[in-house]
Structure formats: C-alpha cells, structure tokens
Amino acid sequence: MTVHNLYIFDRNGTCLHYSEWNRKKQAGISKEEEYKLMYGMLFSIRSFVNCRKDGFMSFHTSRYKLHYYETPTGIKLVMNTDLGVQNCRDTLQQIYSTLYVEYIVKNPLCVLGESLQSDLFNSKLDSFIRALPFFNIRAA
Amino acid sequence: MSRQSNRTTDSKKMNSELFTLTYGALVTQLCKDYENDEEVNKQLDKMGYNIGVRLIEDFLARSSVGRCQDFRETADVIAKVAFKMYLGVTPSVTNWSPAGDEFSLILESNPLVDFVELPDNHSNLVYSSLLCGVLKGALEMVQMAVDVRFAQDTLRGDSVTEIRMKFIKRIEENVPAGDE
C-alpha cells in the first residue's frame, strides 16, 4: 500500500499545496495546468454527485484511488493512494485540523488563499504522511 | 489518531482576564489614534473580520460541526458551541423575524466589558464591535453574508447586551475561471 500524492485547494480553486511521494507517472503538462484540470474535475464531480449528505468522498480506477475531503469553508484535500487503502476521511480531516489549521491558519504571516510557503507545514506534513500505516509499500 | 482526540478534548484554556484587559488596551489605543468613535468602531470591526476568517477554520477543526442546513441551525451553533468555546458564555437566541432571516443573541454577561465603564465623551463607541466583525468574517467563510450589529449594550445603559444578526444572502461558490 502507498500514498501517491496530495493536493490542497482553497474554495476559489487555488492550489495551496501539492506534494508527492510515490508517483511514477507524470502528467506531461505543467503543474499549474494539472492543478486546474484536477480542480475542474473535482468541481464537476461535486455538482454531479450533489445528492447525498456527505457528498463526494472518493473514486477509484483500476490502478489508484482518489480520496476527497472538503470542509464547510471550502478547503479541499485530495489524496491519491493505491487500491488497498480503505476510507481515508479521518486521515484527511487530521491533515486539515492538526496541520493546515495549526501551521497555516494560526500563522499570521501565511497569507490565506495563496500557495503555501511554510517549510514547517511542509516538513510536518511529510512526516505525518510517512508515518501513516499504509504509507509503506512493503507493509502491504 | 490519539493526537487528534487529545487536542479536541483539552482545548487550551486561558485566563479570560488577560484577554479582557488586552482588548481594553486595544480599544484605549484606538481611541487615542482616531478622532471619532465611528472610526474606532470601524477599525474594531475590521480587526474582528480578519480574526473571524481565521477563527472559523480553528472552530471547524475543533468542533465536528458540519455545514448548517438553515439559519436557525447556524444561530444554535453560534450561541451554544462557538460562544461557549471562545468566550465561555452561552447567549440565548431570541426575537426571530417572521421570515426567519433575523435573530438576536442576548448576552447576560459580555466577557469583553468586565472592567469597563464608558466615559461620557465616548457615547458613540460600540465597545465590543470586534465581535460583530468576527461573526461576519467567520460566516462569510462558510458562504453566508450576514449583517451584524449591537442593538443593545449594557455599557450604554441597556439592561442586556443584544447582538442583532440579519442574513443577507448566500455567497455562491466561484466557478474556476476560464479554461473550458
């Protein structure tokens, strides 16, 4: 099992953060293009799903699974993992509450709504993800 | 997992007197910096707004409150969860307008004014304006445009403190620009 990558978007579609761990295929377009495509897809899926209370939570293809979590303020966390990973809602919620809120929102020098420049946040996130029980491929 | 649960249960408590006195010092300084009370009210409101847009994230992370279905639910969450969490008081929700788009928060005690007596030359000062800004900013982040003002204030001789909230509109979500 493994984690491929993670996107954080704000409610206007700005990609606040992107990081990747085990990603073998690159998109072949610029990262900015990729963020736009990703956000556009999520946006469409949300309006498409829009019926159940929790809304859109995840989808999977034959090779990977995309997990989605959105806060009432419109912060969107997107994590791609392989198919062996079960529900990641708690994990994404923890990234929001213990990392994003703690190191970004509570840091007055971090401008909200712009790409995040905090090294502290990046390193905390990296160690958080690496410590996840399903991060390591060999653990499977 | 354990980190999360620890955090939500023991939210850091702090001495409310320190908060109250700090706020007092802020208002005092603003009164020195600006010539009239209206301008001080405006500055407090603006600062409150900037606090509110960040505070809402902390609030959502700590409470497990999801998206509110209507304004009544919003009123309940503000009074029973948010005021309790940040100010340690629970205002009552009353005076609903027939349309359900307006209500009042009645504060028995306002922690911001514990040691305050307004001098006569500040009759237009809305001492706790910061709260209006906080409420406005926080609700705006969850797509609600709301008008907030003090309808009554014990500092100005009223028997209770009343914050009047009026729902203006739902802020529609932005569609990402361009790129069809």
Side-chain angles (χ1 to χ4, degrees):
Chain A
M1 289 197 272
T2 187
V3 174
H4 298 307
N5 57 3
L6 178 94
Y7 301 83
I8 302 176
F9 293 99
D10 79 351
R11 63 167 165 172
N12 299 317
T14 312
C15 185
L16 300 178
H17 176 85
Y18 173 75
S19 45
E20 64 185 41
W21 291 273
N22 297 307
R23 178 173 177 173
K24 299 203 176 68
K25 271 194 187 162
Q26 292 298 331
I29 50 175
S30 76
K31 277 279 178 286
E32 279 62 39
E33 290 286 308
E34 186 187 307
Y35 301 154
K36 275 188 195 165
L37 279 175
M38 177 55 100
Y39 189 80
M41 180 187 67
L42 296 169
F43 195 86
S44 310
I45 293 179
R46 278 173 67 243
S47 49
F48 188 64
V49 173
N50 225 350
C51 51
R52 282 182 37 231
K53 191 170 178 292
D54 291 328
F56 163 51
M57 295 177 72
S58 69
F59 72 73
H60 64 89
T61 71
S62 57
R63 307 298 292 274
Y64 74 93
K65 186 168 178 184
L66 180 144
H67 307 261
Y68 179 79
Y69 172 71
E70 181 178 341
T71 70
T73 49
I75 301 292
K76 298 166 181 74
L77 293 102
V78 181
M79 186 161 78
N80 288 307
T81 66
D82 69 356
L83 291 172
V85 178
Q86 296 302 308
N87 191 351
C88 274
R89 209 173 172 74
D90 289 345
T91 309
L92 291 177
Q93 197 164 11
Q94 269 185 63
I95 294 175
Y96 169 69
S97 62
T98 62
L99 299 170
Y100 178 77
V101 171
E102 290 299 309
Y103 299 110
I104 301 298
V105 177
K106 293 191 182 174
N107 178 353
L109 295 181
C110 283
V111 184
L112 300 181
E114 285 178 12
S115 162
L116 309 179
Q117 306 295 342
S118 163
D119 290 338
L120 182 62
F121 174 78
N122 291 347
S123 67
K124 292 277 180 187
L125 177 66
D126 188 62
S127 46
F128 177 85
I129 296 283
R130 282 177 197 282
L132 288 174
F134 48 79
F135 180 77
N136 202 325
I137 307 171
R138 265 153 286 169
Chain B
M1 294 282 156
S2 57
R3 252 172 84 197
Q4 159 98 23
S5 48
N6 283 341
R7 209 179 147 269
T8 32
T9 44
D10 54 57
S11 57
K12 281 170 229 142
K13 289 268 188 292
M14 94 170 207
N15 185 344
S16 73
E17 286 186 9
L18 176 63
F19 172 57
T20 304
L21 292 170
T22 309
Y23 185 72
L26 174 75
V27 179
T28 310
Q29 187 61 44
L30 285 174
C31 287
K32 278 186 197 146
D33 291 351
Y34 291 93
E35 307 219 319
N36 62 58
D37 293 346
E38 270 80 18
E39 194 58 35
V40 176
N41 297 342
K42 218 156 85 191
Q43 292 299 326
L44 287 170
D45 191 88
K46 207 154 103 190
M47 289 179 193
Y49 178 88
N50 291 332
I51 294 172
V53 297
R54 289 190 185 246
L55 200 65
I56 183 72
E57 304 282 4
D58 180 69
F59 176 72
L60 292 170
R62 281 205 222 182
S63 62
S64 50
V65 173
R67 200 175 271 284
C68 289
Q69 298 304 314
D70 57 25
F71 204 42
R72 286 183 186 268
E73 195 183 338
T74 309
D76 267 356
V77 170
I78 292 171
K80 297 195 184 117
V81 191
F83 265 80
K84 180 107 197 75
M85 186 185 289
Y86 293 109
L87 291 175
V89 293
T90 310
S92 50
V93 179
T94 56
N95 296 343
W96 278 97
S97 66
D101 62 346
E102 251 185 273
F103 68 88
S104 293
L105 293 170
I106 307 288
L107 286 154
E108 298 289 327
S109 70
N110 176 358
L112 289 183
V113 302
D114 277 351
F115 313 106
V116 182
E117 219 173 302
L118 278 192
D120 294 337
N121 58 346
H122 283 295
S123 55
N124 289 323
L125 179 70
V126 183
Y127 186 84
S128 312
S129 300
L130 188 99
L131 288 182
C132 296
V134 170
L135 287 163
K136 241 180 284 179
L139 290 172
E140 196 174 301
M141 295 305 282
V142 287
Q143 276 100 52
M144 272 187 265
V146 177
D147 181 60
V148 188
R149 65 191 168 80
F150 274 87
Q152 296 189 73
D153 195 339
T154 45
L155 279 186
R156 302 204 275 170
D158 298 311
S159 56
V160 289
T161 297
E162 174 183 356
I163 302 175
R164 191 77 182 147
M165 313 256 302
K166 183 178 183 356
F167 179 81
I168 303 170
K169 64 172 175 130
R170 229 184 144 74
I171 302 165
E172 291 306 323
E173 190 157 323
N174 294 334
V175 185
D179 306 297
E180 282 311 307

